[in-house]
C-alpha cells in the first residue's frame, strides 16, 4: 500500500512538473498594460506609476515595465544594459527604492509586474569587451570577454579583441546579431550562471511576476526554455518579431515555456486600417495567420499569444522613425483586440488618450468571460466592416463589429448592443441576463451621460437604479432599456435587471469629480532665471524645457543628460483652461561657460511635439507661437497672513502690477505674499 502511494505520488509529480513550467496560464482572462512608450522618462517615472495603482488595478492584471537597471548611458530606455543586480538600479525612471515601492504597491493591489529582460546583449565599461563586476548575496558575478560570441558585430569585435590581447568565445551566435553591443554566448556556463541568478533576483528579490524577453531571436529558444525552467516565472513572453510560423516554432523551441507577442496580429490590424479594407482581419497577412486565428487553433497557440496593436518599437518615435505604426482607428483596433482570444496588451499612449473607451471594453471582456483560449467565429466581413463572435464563459458570447460602417451591422435578435464608439460596436448574447452601464467607473470633469441597457431574453425586462450606493429594489427608480441618465459629481450608481418583481445582476459604477485645477500663479523672484509656457490643450504629457546659449556655447537644461531637457513645474491653468508650466534654472550648466542666461529656449511635450527655437527672455511667458508677455520679478519669498504691514512704498498684485490702495486680497508687499483682510 505504501509502495502504491509512493508510485502515485511520483506519477503525480512527473505530470505536474511540466505544467508548472508552462510559460503562460491556460484560459487566462487577464489584460496587460505596456506601462511605457519610447522616451517616456517623465510620464512613467516609478513614482508616477505607483500613484496610478488604484486605477490601473481595476482594469489590468499585469503591467510591463521598461528594463529597470542602470544602463550603459545616463539617459536610456534600458536596452543597452550594463548592470543586472541590486545596487545599480537608479535608472532613467527612478531609484531602486522607488522601483521596489512600485512593485510592492502593484502586488498589494493585485497587479503582477512584468520585467523587461535584456540578456541577448550587454554594454561595456571602458572598452569593447570589459564588463562590470557585481556582488549579490556575497557572490561575485561578472561576464568575461570569453562570454562574447565569436562573430559578434559581424566579426568587428573579434578583430578588436585580437589586436588588444583579448579572447572571445569559440562559439558563434546561435541567433541574430544585435549590432553595437556585445552579443552573449548562451552556451557559456558563466553566462548561464549570471543569467539564472539575475532572473531569480528579479522574481524573488525585486518582486517581479514574470518576464518580457527582448530580442527573442537573438539566441536559440531552447535557452529561454532552460532559463524559465530554472526561474519558474508565472508569466513569460518573448519578442519574436517575425511571421506566425517563426513565432510558433520559437514557442515550441522553448518547450512551450514562454508565450510570444503576436506580431502578425498587430500587422493584420494595421493593414486593415491603412488600406481601409476590414476584410484583412479575416484573411492571411504576408502568408501567415495571427496566432489567435483558426489556423493554429488545433495546436492551442492562442494560449501563448500576447496580442497588441502598437508598442514602443512600432509607434512613431520622437525622431520620426517607426515600424508599421497604427496611424488611425485606435478605438476600433483596441476594440478588436479586446474581443479576441490571446492576452491583450494595451499600449500606454492608447490608454492615456482613449481611457474611457478602453475601460469600457475591458468591462465587457470581463463580463462575458473571454480568455486567452476562447474560440471565435467570423460573422460577417466586407471592406467596410468586420464582425467576429468570441465565446466566453457559460456559453456567453461577444460579437465585436469594427470598421467605418460598423454601425450598419446588426446580428440576430439573440444579441444586444451594450457599447459603441468611433468605428466599433459590442453586442453580447442575451443569455447574459444582466443590467449594463456603458460609462465605466472613474474620474470625470463635468456632466456625463451613461447609457443603461437590459440584456435579457425577456422582452419585458426593465432596469432599476440608485445613485447613493444602496442596493436597488423593485421599488427603486425604473427605466426602460436604452435610457440615458446624467452623471454629475461624486456618485455610486447601481443598476439592476428587473423582471417581474425580481431584481438581479446588479452592476456598480463609482464616479468621482475631477478636482478643479488651480489658476496659474506666474511669479518671478529677484535674480531668478526662468520662463513660463502655456501648453496647447493637446499636449498631454509633462512639459520639458531645453535652453541654451550659442555664444558662448552652453546648455542650461542638461541636468538629465540630454534631450528633452528638464521637466518644468506645473503651476495650474490659464483662464482659457490651458495648463501653465514654469522652468527655473538650477544654476548648473553643461560646460560651465561665462553665460549668465540662455539665448534660446524650446518647450516640448516630453520630446514631441515641440515649439520652434524661441528667443529667450527672462520671465518670458510663451505659448507654442512664441513670447506673449514678460513676468516682472517681484521678490516673492513666503506667505504671511494678517493685516496690511507697513510697506516700502511699493505694493504689487500677483501678476506684478503696482497698486496704490489695495482692497482685500493677496498682494506682494516688502517682497512677501500678504493676505489683506
Amino acid at each position: 500500500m505504501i509502495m502504491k502511494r509512493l508510485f502515485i505520488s511520483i506519477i503525480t509529480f512527473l505530470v505536474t512538473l511540466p505544467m508548472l513550467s508552462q510559460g503562460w496560464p491556460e484560459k487566462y482572462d487577464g489584460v496587460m498594460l505596456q506601462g511605457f512608450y519610447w522616451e517616456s522618462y517623465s510620464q512613467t517615472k516609478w513614482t508616477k506609476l505607483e500613484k496610478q495603482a488604484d486605477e490601473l488595478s481595476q482594469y489590468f492584471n499585469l503591467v510591463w515595465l521598461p528594463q529597470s537597471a542602470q544602463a550603459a548611458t545616463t539617459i536610456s530606455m534600458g536596452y543597452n544594459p550594463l548592470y543586472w543586480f541590486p545596487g545599480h538600479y537608479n535608472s532613467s525612471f527612478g531609484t531602486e527604492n522607488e522601483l521596489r515601492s512600485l512593485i510592492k504597491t502593484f502586488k498589494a493591489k493585485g497587479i503582477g509586474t512584468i520585467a523587461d529582460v535584456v540578456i541577448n546583449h550587454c554594454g561595456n565599461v571602458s572598452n569593447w569587451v570589459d564588463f562590470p563586476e557585481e556582488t549579490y548575496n556575497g557572490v561575485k558575478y561578472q561576464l568575461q570577454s570569453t562570454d562574447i560570441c565569436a562573430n559578434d558585430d559581424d566579426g568587428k569585435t573579434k578583430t578588436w579583441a585580437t589586436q588588444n590581447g583579448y579572447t572571445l568565445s569559440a562559439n558563434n551566435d546561435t541567433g541574430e546579431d544585435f549590432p553595437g553591443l556585445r552579443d552573449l554566448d548562451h552556451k557559456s556556463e558563466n553566462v548561464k550562471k549570471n543569467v539564472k541568478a539575475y532572473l531569480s533576483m528579479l522574481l524573488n528579490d525585486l518582486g517581479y511576476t514574470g518576464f518580457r524577453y527582448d530580442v527573442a531571436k537573438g539566441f536559440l529558444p531552447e535557452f529561454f526554455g532552460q532559463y524559465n525552467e530554472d526561474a519558474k516565472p508565472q508569466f513569460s513572453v518573448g519578442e519574436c518579431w517575425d511571421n506566425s510560423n517563426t513565432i510558433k516554432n520559437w514557442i515550441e523551441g522553448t518547450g512551450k515555456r514562454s508565450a510570444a507577442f503576436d506580431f502578425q496580429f498587430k500587422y493584420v490590424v494595421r493593414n486593415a486600417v491603412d488600406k481601409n479594407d476590414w476584410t484583412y482581419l479575416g484573411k492571411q497577412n504576408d502568408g501567415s495567420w495571427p496566432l489567435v486565428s483558426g489556423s493554429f487553433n488545433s495546436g492551442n497557440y492562442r494560449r501563448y499569444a500576447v496580442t497588441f496593436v502598437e508598442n514602443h518599437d512600432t509607434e512613431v518615435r520622437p525622431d520620426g522613425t517607426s515600424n508599421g505604426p497604427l496611424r488611425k482607428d485606435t478605438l476600433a483596433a483596441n476594440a478588436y483586440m479586446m474581443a479576441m482570444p490571446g492576452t491583450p496588451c494595451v499600449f500606454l499612449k492608447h490608454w492615456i488618450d482613449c481611457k474611457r473607451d478602453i475601460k469600457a471594453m475591458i468591462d465587457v471582456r470581463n463580463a462575458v468571460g473571454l480568455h486567452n483560449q476562447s474560440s471565435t467565429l467570423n460573422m460577417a466581413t466586407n471592406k467596410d466592416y468586420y464582425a467576429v463572435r468570441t465565446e466566453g464563459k457559460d456559453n456567453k458570447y461577444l460579437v465585436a463589429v469594427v470598421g467605418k460602417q460598423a454601425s450598419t451591422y446588426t446580428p440576430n435578435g439573440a444579441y444586444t448592443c451594450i457599447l459603441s464608439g468611433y468605428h466599433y460596436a459590442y453586442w453580447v448574447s442575451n443569455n447574459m441576463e444582466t443590467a449594463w452601464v456603458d460609462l465605466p467607473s472613474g474620474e470625470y470633469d463635468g456632466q456625463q451621460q451613461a447609457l443603461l441597457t437590459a440584456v435579457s431574453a425577456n422582452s419585458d425586462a426593465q432596469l432599476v437604479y440608485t445613485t447613493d450606493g444602496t442596493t436597488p429594489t423593485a421599488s427603486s427608480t425604473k427605466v426602460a432599456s436604452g435610457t440615458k441618465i446624467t452623471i454629475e459629481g461624486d456618485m455610486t450608481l447601481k443598476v439592476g435587471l428587473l423582471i417581474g418583481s425580481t431584481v438581479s445582476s446588479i452592476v456598480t459604477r463609482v464616479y468621482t469629480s475631477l478636482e478643479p485645477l488651480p489658476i496659474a500663479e506666474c511669479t518671478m523672484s529677484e535674480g531668478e532665471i526662468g520662463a513660463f509656457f502655456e501648453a496647447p490643450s493637446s499636449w498631454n504629457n509633462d512639459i520639458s524645457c531645453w535652453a541654451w546659449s550659442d555664444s558662448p556655447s552652453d546648455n542650461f537644461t542638461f541636468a538629465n543628460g540630454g534631450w528633452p531637457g528638464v521637466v518644468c513645474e506645473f503651476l495650474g491653468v490659464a483662464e482659457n483652461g490651458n495648463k501653465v508650466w514654469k522652468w527655473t534654472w538650477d544654476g548648473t550648466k553643461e560646460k560651465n561657460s561665462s553665460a549668465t542666461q540662455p539665448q534660446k529656449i524650446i518647450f516640448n511635450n516630453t520630446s514631441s511635439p515641440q515649439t520652434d527655437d524661441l528667443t529667450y527672455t527672462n520671465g518670458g511667458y510663451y505659448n507654442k507661437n512664441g513670447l506673449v508677455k514678460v513676468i516682472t520679478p517681484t521678490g516673492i519669498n513666503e506667505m504671511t497672513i494678517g493685516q496690511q504691514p507697513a510697506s516700502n512704498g511699493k505694493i504689487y498684485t500677483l501678476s506684478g502690477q503696482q497698486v496704490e490702495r489695495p482692497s482685500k486680497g493677496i498682494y506682494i508687499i516688502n517682497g512677501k505674499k500678504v493676505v489683506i483682510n
Side-chain angles (χ1 to χ4, degrees), residues 437 439 448 450 452 464-473 475-479 484-496 506-512:
V437 182
L439 183 66
Q448 304 293 324
L452 312 187
V464 287
Y465 73 90
T466 62
T467 59
D468 58 1
T470 59
T471 301
T473 66
S475 60
S476 299
T477 304
K478 296 183 181 64
V479 294
K484 288 186 178 181
I485 64 172
T486 299
I487 305 298
E488 186 173 21
D490 295 346
M491 178 186 299
T492 298
L493 174 67
K494 291 193 174 186
V495 185
I506 296 171
V507 173
T508 302
R509 300 281 188 265
V510 179
Y511 306 117
T512 56

Side-chain angles (χ1 to χ4, degrees), residues 252-269:
E252 292 286 354
T254 69
K256 288 190 174 180
R257 294 186 179 94
S258 183
F261 284 106
D262 194 346
F263 276 87
Q264 288 304 302
F265 183 94
K266 183 265 185 301
Y267 288 116
V268 164
V269 174

Side-chain angles (χ1 to χ4, degrees), residues 195-239:
V195 169
K196 288 180 179 180
Y198 168 52
L199 297 180
S200 176
M201 180 278 301
L202 289 175
L203 297 178
N204 301 312
D205 187 343
L206 291 183
Y208 280 105
T209 301
F211 309 139
R212 177 266 184 186
Y213 284 114
D214 183 57
V215 193
K217 294 195 296 179
F219 52 92
L220 288 175
E222 64 188 59
F223 294 115
F224 291 96
Q226 292 173 17
Y227 293 143
N228 279 353
E229 182 68 20
D230 182 78
K232 292 182 172 55
Q234 295 181 48
F235 302 91
S236 170
V237 55
E239 183 206 25

